[in-house]
PDB file of all heavy atoms in Angstrom:
ATOM      1  N   LEU A   1     186.308  51.570 133.589  1.00 98.00           N
ATOM      2  CA  LEU A   1     187.267  52.724 133.622  1.00 98.00           C
ATOM      3  C   LEU A   1     187.951  52.775 132.271  1.00 98.00           C
ATOM      4  O   LEU A   1     188.588  51.833 131.887  1.00 98.00           O
ATOM      5  CB  LEU A   1     188.236  52.574 134.780  1.00 98.00           C
ATOM      6  CG  LEU A   1     189.431  53.520 134.887  1.00 98.00           C
ATOM      7  CD1 LEU A   1     188.907  54.918 135.123  1.00 98.00           C
ATOM      8  CD2 LEU A   1     190.394  53.121 135.945  1.00 98.00           C
ATOM      9  N   THR A   2     187.857  53.915 131.665  1.00 98.00           N
ATOM     10  CA  THR A   2     188.540  54.096 130.329  1.00 98.00           C
ATOM     11  C   THR A   2     189.693  55.073 130.455  1.00 98.00           C
ATOM     12  O   THR A   2     189.504  56.138 130.993  1.00 98.00           O
ATOM     13  CB  THR A   2     187.524  54.628 129.279  1.00 98.00           C
ATOM     14  OG1 THR A   2     186.438  53.684 129.114  1.00 98.00           O
ATOM     15  CG2 THR A   2     188.162  54.776 127.914  1.00 98.00           C
ATOM     16  N   ASP A   3     190.874  54.680 130.021  1.00 98.00           N
ATOM     17  CA  ASP A   3     192.091  55.514 130.066  1.00 98.00           C
ATOM     18  C   ASP A   3     192.649  55.714 128.642  1.00 98.00           C
ATOM     19  O   ASP A   3     192.732  54.729 127.862  1.00 98.00           O
ATOM     20  CB  ASP A   3     193.162  54.843 130.927  1.00 98.00           C
ATOM     21  CG  ASP A   3     192.855  54.986 132.433  1.00 98.00           C
ATOM     22  OD1 ASP A   3     193.068  56.077 133.002  1.00 98.00           O
ATOM     23  OD2 ASP A   3     192.413  53.952 133.029  1.00 98.00           O
ATOM     24  N   PHE A   4     193.001  56.954 128.371  1.00 98.00           N
ATOM     25  CA  PHE A   4     193.671  57.244 127.110  1.00 98.00           C
ATOM     26  C   PHE A   4     194.404  58.582 127.170  1.00 98.00           C
ATOM     27  O   PHE A   4     194.117  59.382 128.042  1.00 98.00           O
ATOM     28  CB  PHE A   4     192.625  57.301 125.912  1.00 98.00           C
ATOM     29  CG  PHE A   4     191.671  58.381 125.986  1.00 98.00           C
ATOM     30  CD1 PHE A   4     191.911  59.552 125.234  1.00 98.00           C
ATOM     31  CD2 PHE A   4     190.524  58.341 126.694  1.00 98.00           C
ATOM     32  CE1 PHE A   4     191.028  60.625 125.280  1.00 98.00           C
ATOM     33  CE2 PHE A   4     189.596  59.418 126.783  1.00 98.00           C
ATOM     34  CZ  PHE A   4     189.864  60.547 126.050  1.00 98.00           C
ATOM     35  N   MET A   5     195.252  58.765 126.169  1.00 96.00           N
ATOM     36  CA  MET A   5     195.895  60.081 126.030  1.00 96.00           C
ATOM     37  C   MET A   5     195.649  60.580 124.568  1.00 96.00           C
ATOM     38  O   MET A   5     195.930  59.778 123.663  1.00 96.00           O
ATOM     39  CB  MET A   5     197.394  60.043 126.284  1.00 96.00           C
ATOM     40  CG  MET A   5     197.772  59.763 127.690  1.00 96.00           C
ATOM     41  SD  MET A   5     199.613  59.966 127.859  1.00 96.00           S
ATOM     42  CE  MET A   5     199.863  58.983 129.359  1.00 96.00           C
ATOM     43  N   PRO A   6     195.134  61.770 124.417  1.00 94.00           N
ATOM     44  CA  PRO A   6     195.046  62.297 123.041  1.00 94.00           C
ATOM     45  C   PRO A   6     196.447  62.334 122.350  1.00 94.00           C
ATOM     46  O   PRO A   6     197.479  62.629 123.035  1.00 94.00           O
ATOM     47  CB  PRO A   6     194.552  63.714 123.205  1.00 94.00           C
ATOM     48  CG  PRO A   6     193.826  63.695 124.520  1.00 94.00           C
ATOM     49  CD  PRO A   6     194.628  62.721 125.389  1.00 94.00           C
ATOM     50  N   VAL A   7     196.513  62.057 121.064  1.00 90.00           N
ATOM     51  CA  VAL A   7     197.770  62.010 120.370  1.00 90.00           C
ATOM     52  C   VAL A   7     198.204  63.382 119.947  1.00 90.00           C
ATOM     53  O   VAL A   7     197.631  63.992 119.070  1.00 90.00           O
ATOM     54  CB  VAL A   7     197.736  61.041 119.229  1.00 90.00           C
ATOM     55  CG1 VAL A   7     199.077  60.951 118.507  1.00 90.00           C
ATOM     56  CG2 VAL A   7     197.265  59.659 119.650  1.00 90.00           C
ATOM     57  N   VAL A   8     199.276  63.883 120.573  1.00 72.00           N
ATOM     58  CA  VAL A   8     199.697  65.287 120.328  1.00 72.00           C
ATOM     59  C   VAL A   8     200.046  65.423 118.855  1.00 72.00           C
ATOM     60  O   VAL A   8     200.748  64.617 118.253  1.00 72.00           O
ATOM     61  CB  VAL A   8     200.931  65.511 121.235  1.00 72.00           C
ATOM     62  CG1 VAL A   8     201.474  66.949 120.907  1.00 72.00           C
ATOM     63  CG2 VAL A   8     200.587  65.400 122.667  1.00 72.00           C
ATOM     64  N   GLY A   9     199.529  66.541 118.231  1.00 69.00           N
ATOM     65  CA  GLY A   9     199.907  66.887 116.869  1.00 69.00           C
ATOM     66  C   GLY A   9     199.173  66.079 115.814  1.00 69.00           C
ATOM     67  O   GLY A   9     199.308  66.307 114.617  1.00 69.00           O
ATOM     68  N   GLU A  10     198.323  65.168 116.220  1.00 62.00           N
ATOM     69  CA  GLU A  10     197.578  64.345 115.227  1.00 62.00           C
ATOM     70  C   GLU A  10     196.085  64.661 115.267  1.00 62.00           C
ATOM     71  O   GLU A  10     195.390  64.343 114.228  1.00 62.00           O
ATOM     72  CB  GLU A  10     197.804  62.840 115.597  1.00 62.00           C
ATOM     73  CG  GLU A  10     199.301  62.398 115.549  1.00 62.00           C
ATOM     74  CD  GLU A  10     199.802  62.460 114.094  1.00 62.00           C
ATOM     75  OE1 GLU A  10     199.099  62.493 113.127  1.00 62.00           O
ATOM     76  OE2 GLU A  10     201.119  62.439 113.984  1.00 62.00           O
ATOM     77  N   GLN A  11     195.503  65.146 116.317  1.00 53.00           N
ATOM     78  CA  GLN A  11     194.073  65.383 116.394  1.00 53.00           C
ATOM     79  C   GLN A  11     193.855  66.891 116.359  1.00 53.00           C
ATOM     80  O   GLN A  11     193.396  67.521 117.306  1.00 53.00           O
ATOM     81  CB  GLN A  11     193.562  64.798 117.664  1.00 53.00           C
ATOM     82  CG  GLN A  11     193.688  63.270 117.719  1.00 53.00           C
ATOM     83  CD  GLN A  11     193.453  62.607 119.041  1.00 53.00           C
ATOM     84  OE1 GLN A  11     194.039  61.650 119.356  1.00 53.00           O
ATOM     85  NE2 GLN A  11     192.547  63.202 119.842  1.00 53.00           N
ATOM     86  N   GLN A  12     194.139  67.467 115.198  1.00 49.00           N
ATOM     87  CA  GLN A  12     194.162  68.956 115.063  1.00 49.00           C
ATOM     88  C   GLN A  12     192.739  69.549 115.025  1.00 49.00           C
ATOM     89  O   GLN A  12     192.642  70.760 115.217  1.00 49.00           O
ATOM     90  CB  GLN A  12     194.905  69.349 113.841  1.00 49.00           C
ATOM     91  CG  GLN A  12     196.383  68.884 113.763  1.00 49.00           C
ATOM     92  CD  GLN A  12     197.261  69.549 114.792  1.00 49.00           C
ATOM     93  OE1 GLN A  12     196.783  70.448 115.484  1.00 49.00           O
ATOM     94  NE2 GLN A  12     198.483  69.187 114.947  1.00 49.00           N
ATOM     95  N   THR A  13     191.728  68.760 114.819  1.00 50.00           N
ATOM     96  CA  THR A  13     190.386  69.285 114.793  1.00 50.00           C
ATOM     97  C   THR A  13     189.877  69.665 116.208  1.00 50.00           C
ATOM     98  O   THR A  13     188.825  70.344 116.267  1.00 50.00           O
ATOM     99  CB  THR A  13     189.426  68.299 114.162  1.00 50.00           C
ATOM    100  OG1 THR A  13     189.414  67.045 114.941  1.00 50.00           O
ATOM    101  CG2 THR A  13     189.861  67.971 112.704  1.00 50.00           C
ATOM    102  N   LEU A  14     190.597  69.288 117.256  1.00 57.00           N
ATOM    103  CA  LEU A  14     190.111  69.572 118.589  1.00 57.00           C
ATOM    104  C   LEU A  14     191.207  70.389 119.319  1.00 57.00           C
ATOM    105  O   LEU A  14     192.414  70.209 119.123  1.00 57.00           O
ATOM    106  CB  LEU A  14     189.893  68.228 119.376  1.00 57.00           C
ATOM    107  CG  LEU A  14     188.779  67.373 118.791  1.00 57.00           C
ATOM    108  CD1 LEU A  14     188.826  66.036 119.508  1.00 57.00           C
ATOM    109  CD2 LEU A  14     187.423  68.038 118.893  1.00 57.00           C
ATOM    110  N   ASP A  15     190.723  71.275 120.147  1.00 58.00           N
ATOM    111  CA  ASP A  15     191.662  72.094 121.019  1.00 58.00           C
ATOM    112  C   ASP A  15     192.010  71.249 122.189  1.00 58.00           C
ATOM    113  O   ASP A  15     191.143  71.098 123.124  1.00 58.00           O
ATOM    114  CB  ASP A  15     190.927  73.358 121.396  1.00 58.00           C
ATOM    115  CG  ASP A  15     191.872  74.261 122.192  1.00 58.00           C
ATOM    116  OD1 ASP A  15     193.123  74.088 122.105  1.00 58.00           O
ATOM    117  OD2 ASP A  15     191.357  75.228 122.851  1.00 58.00           O
ATOM    118  N   ILE A  16     193.211  70.722 122.269  1.00 63.00           N
ATOM    119  CA  ILE A  16     193.564  69.774 123.328  1.00 63.00           C
ATOM    120  C   ILE A  16     194.721  70.283 124.118  1.00 63.00           C
ATOM    121  O   ILE A  16     195.552  70.994 123.676  1.00 63.00           O
ATOM    122  CB  ILE A  16     193.833  68.384 122.775  1.00 63.00           C
ATOM    123  CG1 ILE A  16     195.156  68.423 121.970  1.00 63.00           C
ATOM    124  CG2 ILE A  16     192.726  67.821 121.982  1.00 63.00           C
ATOM    125  CD1 ILE A  16     195.603  67.030 121.504  1.00 63.00           C
ATOM    126  N   ALA A  17     194.724  69.813 125.406  1.00 63.00           N
ATOM    127  CA  ALA A  17     195.966  70.009 126.243  1.00 63.00           C
ATOM    128  C   ALA A  17     196.993  69.050 125.742  1.00 63.00           C
ATOM    129  O   ALA A  17     196.743  67.915 125.479  1.00 63.00           O
ATOM    130  CB  ALA A  17     195.607  69.765 127.699  1.00 63.00           C
ATOM    131  N   GLU A  18     198.281  69.549 125.599  1.00 69.00           N
ATOM    132  CA  GLU A  18     199.253  68.710 124.977  1.00 69.00           C
ATOM    133  C   GLU A  18     199.647  67.489 125.815  1.00 69.00           C
ATOM    134  O   GLU A  18     199.936  66.412 125.293  1.00 69.00           O
ATOM    135  CB  GLU A  18     200.513  69.572 124.704  1.00 69.00           C
ATOM    136  CG  GLU A  18     200.383  70.488 123.565  1.00 69.00           C
ATOM    137  CD  GLU A  18     201.728  70.894 122.981  1.00 69.00           C
ATOM    138  OE1 GLU A  18     202.791  70.597 123.581  1.00 69.00           O
ATOM    139  OE2 GLU A  18     201.717  71.552 121.910  1.00 69.00           O
ATOM    140  N   HIS A  19     199.695  67.596 127.113  1.00 86.00           N
ATOM    141  CA  HIS A  19     200.125  66.457 127.987  1.00 86.00           C
ATOM    142  C   HIS A  19     199.068  66.231 128.947  1.00 86.00           C
ATOM    143  O   HIS A  19     198.986  66.766 130.065  1.00 86.00           O
ATOM    144  CB  HIS A  19     201.439  66.819 128.720  1.00 86.00           C
ATOM    145  CG  HIS A  19     202.542  67.305 127.775  1.00 86.00           C
ATOM    146  ND1 HIS A  19     203.208  66.386 126.913  1.00 86.00           N
ATOM    147  CD2 HIS A  19     203.129  68.507 127.565  1.00 86.00           C
ATOM    148  CE1 HIS A  19     204.100  67.059 126.232  1.00 86.00           C
ATOM    149  NE2 HIS A  19     204.075  68.373 126.600  1.00 86.00           N
ATOM    150  N   ALA A  20     198.178  65.264 128.574  1.00 94.00           N
ATOM    151  CA  ALA A  20     196.947  65.042 129.380  1.00 94.00           C
ATOM    152  C   ALA A  20     196.578  63.565 129.364  1.00 94.00           C
ATOM    153  O   ALA A  20     196.698  62.834 128.374  1.00 94.00           O
ATOM    154  CB  ALA A  20     195.808  65.867 128.908  1.00 94.00           C
ATOM    155  N   LEU A  21     196.165  63.110 130.507  1.00 97.00           N
ATOM    156  CA  LEU A  21     195.619  61.707 130.677  1.00 97.00           C
ATOM    157  C   LEU A  21     194.114  61.927 130.993  1.00 97.00           C
ATOM    158  O   LEU A  21     193.749  62.536 131.964  1.00 97.00           O
ATOM    159  CB  LEU A  21     196.312  60.997 131.785  1.00 97.00           C
ATOM    160  CG  LEU A  21     195.742  59.672 132.188  1.00 97.00           C
ATOM    161  CD1 LEU A  21     195.905  58.648 131.100  1.00 97.00           C
ATOM    162  CD2 LEU A  21     196.514  59.149 133.460  1.00 97.00           C
ATOM    163  N   TYR A  22     193.296  61.228 130.152  1.00 97.00           N
ATOM    164  CA  TYR A  22     191.851  61.278 130.341  1.00 97.00           C
ATOM    165  C   TYR A  22     191.408  59.898 131.000  1.00 97.00           C
ATOM    166  O   TYR A  22     191.770  58.834 130.519  1.00 97.00           O
ATOM    167  CB  TYR A  22     191.097  61.428 129.024  1.00 97.00           C
ATOM    168  CG  TYR A  22     191.209  62.829 128.433  1.00 97.00           C
ATOM    169  CD1 TYR A  22     192.445  63.351 128.012  1.00 97.00           C
ATOM    170  CD2 TYR A  22     190.091  63.546 128.227  1.00 97.00           C
ATOM    171  CE1 TYR A  22     192.535  64.573 127.474  1.00 97.00           C
ATOM    172  CE2 TYR A  22     190.154  64.842 127.649  1.00 97.00           C
ATOM    173  CZ  TYR A  22     191.367  65.327 127.315  1.00 97.00           C
ATOM    174  OH  TYR A  22     191.470  66.577 126.719  1.00 97.00           O
ATOM    175  N   ARG A  23     190.596  60.043 132.013  1.00 98.00           N
ATOM    176  CA  ARG A  23     190.075  58.864 132.705  1.00 98.00           C
ATOM    177  C   ARG A  23     188.542  59.048 132.904  1.00 98.00           C
ATOM    178  O   ARG A  23     188.054  59.996 133.441  1.00 98.00           O
ATOM    179  CB  ARG A  23     190.695  58.641 134.105  1.00 98.00           C
ATOM    180  CG  ARG A  23     192.226  58.829 134.032  1.00 98.00           C
ATOM    181  CD  ARG A  23     192.834  58.328 135.328  1.00 98.00           C
ATOM    182  NE  ARG A  23     192.934  56.800 135.322  1.00 98.00           N
ATOM    183  CZ  ARG A  23     193.182  56.023 136.335  1.00 98.00           C
ATOM    184  NH1 ARG A  23     193.358  56.624 137.563  1.00 98.00           N
ATOM    185  NH2 ARG A  23     193.224  54.721 136.251  1.00 98.00           N
ATOM    186  N   ARG A  24     187.752  58.065 132.417  1.00 98.00           N
ATOM    187  CA  ARG A  24     186.305  58.110 132.537  1.00 98.00           C
ATOM    188  C   ARG A  24     185.858  56.841 133.213  1.00 98.00           C
ATOM    189  O   ARG A  24     186.282  55.716 132.723  1.00 98.00           O
ATOM    190  CB  ARG A  24     185.578  58.298 131.169  1.00 98.00           C
ATOM    191  CG  ARG A  24     184.084  58.404 131.336  1.00 98.00           C
ATOM    192  CD  ARG A  24     183.359  58.266 130.008  1.00 98.00           C
ATOM    193  NE  ARG A  24     183.463  56.933 129.514  1.00 98.00           N
ATOM    194  CZ  ARG A  24     182.836  56.514 128.385  1.00 98.00           C
ATOM    195  NH1 ARG A  24     182.194  57.422 127.627  1.00 98.00           N
ATOM    196  NH2 ARG A  24     182.947  55.267 127.997  1.00 98.00           N
ATOM    197  N   VAL A  25     185.047  56.915 134.212  1.00 98.00           N
ATOM    198  CA  VAL A  25     184.480  55.700 134.856  1.00 98.00           C
ATOM    199  C   VAL A  25     182.990  55.819 134.680  1.00 98.00           C
ATOM    200  O   VAL A  25     182.357  56.812 134.993  1.00 98.00           O
ATOM    201  CB  VAL A  25     184.924  55.548 136.289  1.00 98.00           C
ATOM    202  CG1 VAL A  25     184.522  56.704 137.162  1.00 98.00           C
ATOM    203  CG2 VAL A  25     184.460  54.231 136.844  1.00 98.00           C
ATOM    204  N   GLU A  26     182.376  54.720 134.205  1.00 98.00           N
ATOM    205  CA  GLU A  26     180.942  54.664 133.955  1.00 98.00           C
ATOM    206  C   GLU A  26     180.347  53.436 134.568  1.00 98.00           C
ATOM    207  O   GLU A  26     180.861  52.318 134.431  1.00 98.00           O
ATOM    208  CB  GLU A  26     180.661  54.670 132.460  1.00 98.00           C
ATOM    209  CG  GLU A  26     179.180  54.624 132.086  1.00 98.00           C
ATOM    210  CD  GLU A  26     178.955  54.714 130.578  1.00 98.00           C
ATOM    211  OE1 GLU A  26     179.926  54.658 129.836  1.00 98.00           O
ATOM    212  OE2 GLU A  26     177.716  54.884 130.235  1.00 98.00           O
ATOM    213  N   CYS A  27     179.238  53.531 135.237  1.00 98.00           N
ATOM    214  CA  CYS A  27     178.546  52.384 135.851  1.00 98.00           C
ATOM    215  C   CYS A  27     177.771  51.662 134.748  1.00 98.00           C
ATOM    216  O   CYS A  27     176.969  52.284 134.048  1.00 98.00           O
ATOM    217  CB  CYS A  27     177.634  52.871 136.945  1.00 98.00           C
ATOM    218  SG  CYS A  27     176.748  51.528 137.781  1.00 98.00           S
ATOM    219  N   GLY A  28     177.934  50.335 134.693  1.00 97.00           N
ATOM    220  CA  GLY A  28     177.256  49.594 133.681  1.00 97.00           C
ATOM    221  C   GLY A  28     175.993  48.975 134.204  1.00 97.00           C
ATOM    222  O   GLY A  28     174.914  48.998 133.531  1.00 97.00           O
TER     223      GLY A  28
END
């Protein structure tokens, strides 16, 4: 399970939601 939040105002090359938590789960 991978958790992160995009850094607001720093990743300008991508169109991002300002207040977001991303969670990805991958079977190994």
Side-chain angles (χ1 to χ4, degrees):
L1 172 65
T2 301
D3 284 284
F4 69 95
M5 291 188 203
V7 181
V8 178
E10 300 292 344
Q11 296 167 214
Q12 300 293 356
T13 59
L14 297 171
D15 184 17
I16 66 174
E18 285 200 353
H19 305 290
L21 171 65
Y22 286 64
R23 315 194 76 192
R24 183 192 70 178
V25 61
E26 180 176 9
C27 181

